[in-house]
Structure formats: structure tokens, C-alpha cells
């Protein structure tokens, strides 16, 4: 009887200290959130006296047309609503040597989209001028298709260095986009190594397929469990059978900010800003892929909140390296190409590199069939010694349709 009593008392003590730890982490997170709010309020109060400093610091460095025409938040509410409804909102995080790769991604988004785009570029301070100068050097006819804002990398004060170095430099910034872009309702986040092979508005339209509980959409990490990473090696919870890949993540950020998430740390459901730090503290010794692992843990506990789209929206070397295992791409072609593991810049997957270089080298304004598609098809013919090269017709299937559609529009306007 005494043994049972001792065991019970130990359980009570352990539970008590666990709750104390979790709520300490929550308090720290809330302090960080308040600090962000105070910083934004301070900058807002100073804006009438120091507009130049405001643009250099928060919320970011705006593009030239934003400075000429004024930011959306300065326009009448009706105009803002009308513009926000017609635009797709795209965010990316770029650090280190990712400048050129990010510009190529943005270029692919612009080439095929028929509706205007808003770009939210989060980058290290020494890249800000490079982004602004590059985007403002593009032809005026191209610049009319997008607005952009460059933001600094911003993490909560608590463990900021740890967040910044989690998995890849700055990659975990995506976790905090809903807390930084508070006025943005919905957002498409993509990694820098993404290439759009069809209009951005096609994936943006998936928001209309969300049911009342969905607040984000991603693709599975693997279609074939026998080569899956999470189901074979993960030391933490993950979504579904094979996990999810966060390289392309569509978010209804209003819902995400309002949601109370179930979790395995406390019986109390937590908001987005409350759950991130405790999760990092609990699982940081068990996660391999950084912020993607944290997203897997969150949606494992809240599966009803995730809309899963098929693999052709996030097509990676894993889908062809051992033979084709993305049935949707086999049928409809690749919609979005994801060159993870640096395959755009080495010789391991020449078919992926061929697509990247074709878009990178394409001169704005030239005929896309003769200056983009035909050179690409010629390059892909030299890659058939690889499995992905043999599947490369899937890379151009949807691309051909996108180019034909754009050329028809040009002809009709002419």
C-alpha cells in the first residue's frame, strides 16, 4: 500500500512541475508577442516623424511602385478589399546564398500568372538592397504584375538564435508569418527552391476547397511508405502515414491565428503563438527537419485542420528518383517543381537543373515557346539516363499549357 502511495505522490509531483514548465514557456512566448506589439506600436507612433526609418525597419522595405502609389493599408478600405481579393499573396524566406534562387522562383510565378501578385520577401539585412534592385530592374511591363515588400528576419526574443539556426538558416521564420503579417488573411508560403509551372492562382484557388475546419494545406512527404522518412525514422509524432512536406504551404492565416490547438503538453488548447516555443523545447532533441517537424507534430494532434493536396503541387526528386511514384503527376503533369537538396545547382538530378536554368536564363519579353520551352526540351533529352530524366515529359506537360495560354492572351490583346 505504501508503494502505491509513493508512486501516486511521485505522479502528482511530476505532473505539477510539468504544468509549471509549460506555463513558464507560455508566459515567455506571450512576453515575446507583447514585445512585437509594442515594437509595432512604437514604429507606428513615430511614422509621422520618421517615415524613412519606418520603411527601413518595420514592416519592411517596400518596392518602388509602393512608394509611388502608397501601400495598400493607406488606401480606402474598399480599394484594399477589392485588390486583396484579386491578388495572390506569396511569401518566401531567403538567407545566405539564396538570392538568385529566390529571384528565379519569383520569376516563374510572374511568367505564368494572369492575376497580379503580392510578394512578401523575408531576408537577411544584407540581401535587402539586392532584392529591391533586382526586382526594380525588371521591365516595366513585368513590374506592373506584382508588388513586393522586403521584411527583416524576425524571431521571438526568447531563443532567437535557436530559431534562426533550426534546420536551415532562417527556415523557421515561416512559423511566425501569421504573427508578423497580421493584416494578411491568406498566404502561400514557398521555399526558395520552388518553380511554378502554371499560374499561382491555380494553387491559390485551393483555398475555396477548404471546409470550415481547414486552416492550411500541404502535400504528403511521401506517396510510397517503403521509402518514407517519417514512418521509418521519425522520433516524434507526424501527420498521417508518411508525414507532410512544408515546402509549399497554403494558409488561411486568419483561421490559424484564431484556432486553439490540441497538443500533447497540456490538456489546455493553445493558440499558435502559445504552442511554438513549448513544442521546440519538448522535441528539439528529436527533430531532424526543423520547422517542418514541428508542423507535423501540430497537425498530427489536429488532423482536421489540414487540407492535403496531391503531389503534383509539390513535386520533388523523391517522386522520380526510384521510378515514378506520383500518380497525379503521371496523369496531369507537374504543377509546382520543388528542387530540394540543392538539385538545381549540382549534377545529381540534371532534369530538375534543366528546368531551373531554362527559367533563369529566359529573357523577359521573348517568345516563351522558342526561348524557354524549346531550349528546355532540348536540355531534357540529355537527361534520360536518370529516372527523373525519363519522367521529364511530366515537367513540360503543364508548362506547355501555361505557355500556350499566355501566348493566346498576348494574341488577343494584340
Amino acid at each position: 500500500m505504501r508503494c502505491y502511495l509513493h508512486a501516486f505522490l511521485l505522479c502528482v509531483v511530476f505532473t505539477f512541475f510539468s504544468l509549471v514548465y509549460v506555463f513558464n514557456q507560455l508566459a515567455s512566448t506571450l512576453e515575446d508577442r507583447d514585445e512585437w506589439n509594442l515594437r509595432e506600436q512604437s514604429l507606428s507612433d513615430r511614422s509621422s516623424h520618421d517615415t524613412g526609418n519606418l520603411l527601413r525597419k518595420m514592416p519592411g522595405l517596400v518596392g518602388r511602385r509602393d512608394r509611388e502609389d502608397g501601400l495598400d493599408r493607406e488606401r480606402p478600405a474598399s480599394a484594399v478589399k477589392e485588390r486583396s481579393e484579386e491578388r495572390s499573396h506569396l511569401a518566401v524566406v531567403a538567407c545566405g546564398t539564396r538570392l538568385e534562387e529566390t529571384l528565379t522562383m519569383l520569376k516563374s510565378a510572374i511568367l505564368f500568372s494572369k492575376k497580379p501578385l503580392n510578394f512578401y520577401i523575408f531576408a537577411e539585412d544584407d540581401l535587402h538592397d539586392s532584392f529591391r534592385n533586382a526586382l526594380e530592374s525588371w521591365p516595366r511591363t513585368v513590374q506592373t504584375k506584382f508588388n513586393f515588400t522586403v521584411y527583416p528576419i524576425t524571431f521571438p526574443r526568447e531563443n532567437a538564435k535557436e530559431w534562426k539556426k533550426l534546420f536551415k538558416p532562417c527556415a523557421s521564420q515561416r512559423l511566425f508569418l501569421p504573427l508578423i503579417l497580421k493584416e494578411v488573411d491568406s498566404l502561400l508560403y514557398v521555399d526558395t527552391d520552388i518553380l511554378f509551372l502554371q499560374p499561382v492562382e491555380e494553387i491559390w484557388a485551393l483555398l475555396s476547397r477548404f471546409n470550415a475546419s481547414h486552416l492550411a494545406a500541404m502535400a504528403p512527404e511521401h506517396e510510397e511508405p517503403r521509402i518514407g522518412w517519417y514512418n521509418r525514422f521519425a522520433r516524434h509524432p507526424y501527420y498521417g502515414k508518411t508525414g507532410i512536406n512544408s515546402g509549399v504551404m497554403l494558409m488561411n492565416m486568419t483561421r490559424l491565428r484564431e484556432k486553439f490547438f490540441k497538443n500533447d503538453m497540456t490538456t489546455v488548447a493553445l493558440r499558435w503563438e502559445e504552442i511554438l516555443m513549448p513544442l521546440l523545447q519538448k522535441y528539439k532533441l528529436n527533430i531532424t527537419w526543423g520547422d517542418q517537424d514541428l508542423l507535423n507534430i501540430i497537425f498530427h494532434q489536429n488532423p482536421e485542420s489540414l487540407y492535403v493536396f496531391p503531389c503534383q503541387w509539390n513535386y520533388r526528386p523523391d517522386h522520380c528518383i526510384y521510378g515514378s511514384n506520383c500518380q497525379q503527376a503521371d496523369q496531369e503533369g507537374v504543377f509546382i517543381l520543388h528542387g530540394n537538396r540543392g538539385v538545381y545547382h549540382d549534377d545529381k538530378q540534371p532534369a530538375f537543373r534543366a528546368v531551373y536554368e531554362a527559367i533563369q536564363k529566359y529573357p523577359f519579353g521573348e517568345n516563351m515557346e522558342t526561348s524557354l520551352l524549346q531550349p528546355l526540351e532540348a536540355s531534357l533529352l540529355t537527361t534520360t539516363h536518370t529516372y527523373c530524366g525519363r519522367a521529364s515529359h511530366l515537367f513540360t506537360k503543364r508548362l506547355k499549357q501555361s505557355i500556350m495560354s499566355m501566348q493566346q492572351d498576348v494574341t488577343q490583346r494584340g
Side-chain angles (χ1 to χ4, degrees), residues 143-360:
Q143 291 190 48
T144 60
K145 299 179 66 175
F146 69 95
N147 287 331
F148 73 95
T149 311
V150 182
Y151 292 81
I153 299 297
T154 306
F155 291 108
R157 174 176 50 82
E158 181 76 12
N159 290 349
K161 292 182 179 179
E162 192 169 4
W163 280 118
K164 185 172 183 178
K165 296 180 179 179
L166 189 64
F167 182 46
K168 292 181 180 179
C170 306
S172 60
Q173 178 73 83
R174 86 185 78 182
L175 296 175
F176 303 98
L177 298 183
L179 309 179
I180 299 171
L181 302 176
K182 296 179 181 179
E183 303 304 315
V184 179
D185 175 68
S186 295
L187 187 73
L188 174 63
Y189 166 85
V190 296
D191 286 346
T192 60
D193 51 10
I194 291 296
L195 292 173
F196 293 92
L197 304 182
Q198 67 171 12
V200 175
E201 52 262 30
E202 296 294 331
I203 188 170
W204 190 256
L206 294 183
L207 287 166
S208 65
R209 301 187 188 181
F210 281 21
N211 65 26
S213 63
H214 291 145
L215 52 82
M218 285 178 274
E221 174 69 13
H222 287 283
E223 276 60 47
E224 175 50 65
R226 288 177 296 180
I227 62 172
W229 192 91
Y230 282 108
N231 56 291
R232 292 188 298 159
F233 305 117
R235 295 180 295 163
H236 58 77
Y238 56 88
Y239 179 87
K241 295 182 179 180
T242 60
I244 46 175
N245 184 281
S246 60
V248 180
M249 183 176 179
L250 186 63
M251 294 177 276
N252 182 320
M253 298 209 298
T254 299
R255 291 184 181 181
L256 195 149
R257 286 185 286 261
E258 295 173 350
K259 168 80 173 178
F260 285 90
F261 293 87
K262 299 186 293 290
N263 61 88
D264 59 2
M265 300 171 294
T266 173
T267 56
V268 179
L270 303 175
R271 288 188 182 273
W272 188 258
E273 66 266 29
E274 298 169 338
I275 200 172
L276 296 176
M277 182 61 71
L279 275 182
L280 177 64
Q281 294 296 335
K282 178 173 181 177
Y283 287 106
K284 63 181 178 180
L285 298 180
N286 293 323
I287 58 178
T288 302
W289 309 113
D291 50 306
Q292 177 173 290
D293 290 348
L294 295 181
L295 290 169
N296 266 279
I297 295 167
I298 291 172
F299 287 107
H300 169 84
Q301 298 288 341
N302 302 269
E304 75 287 349
S305 297
L306 186 67
Y307 177 89
V308 180
F309 49 67
C311 46
Q312 77 264 45
W313 297 97
N314 187 352
Y315 191 93
R316 286 157 277 126
D318 289 337
H319 293 120
C320 54
I321 193 171
Y322 304 115
S324 181
N325 59 46
C326 178
Q327 294 182 1
Q328 293 87 348
D330 291 340
Q331 297 167 3
E332 303 176 282
V334 175
F335 297 169
I336 295 176
L337 198 68
H338 186 176
N340 61 340
R341 303 195 186 103
V343 296
Y344 293 150
H345 312 293
D346 59 32
D347 297 323
K348 294 180 181 179
Q349 295 298 336
F352 280 76
R353 182 170 183 171
V355 180
Y356 175 82
E357 292 181 346
I359 294 175
Q360 181 189 37

Side-chain angles (χ1 to χ4, degrees), residues 102-112 119 138 358-364:
T102 305
L103 290 170
T104 304
M105 180 276 292
L106 297 174
K107 184 178 182 180
S108 73
I110 293 166
L111 285 177
F112 309 117
F119 295 145
W138 288 355
I359 294 175
Q360 181 189 37
K361 295 176 181 178
Y362 166 74
F364 280 118

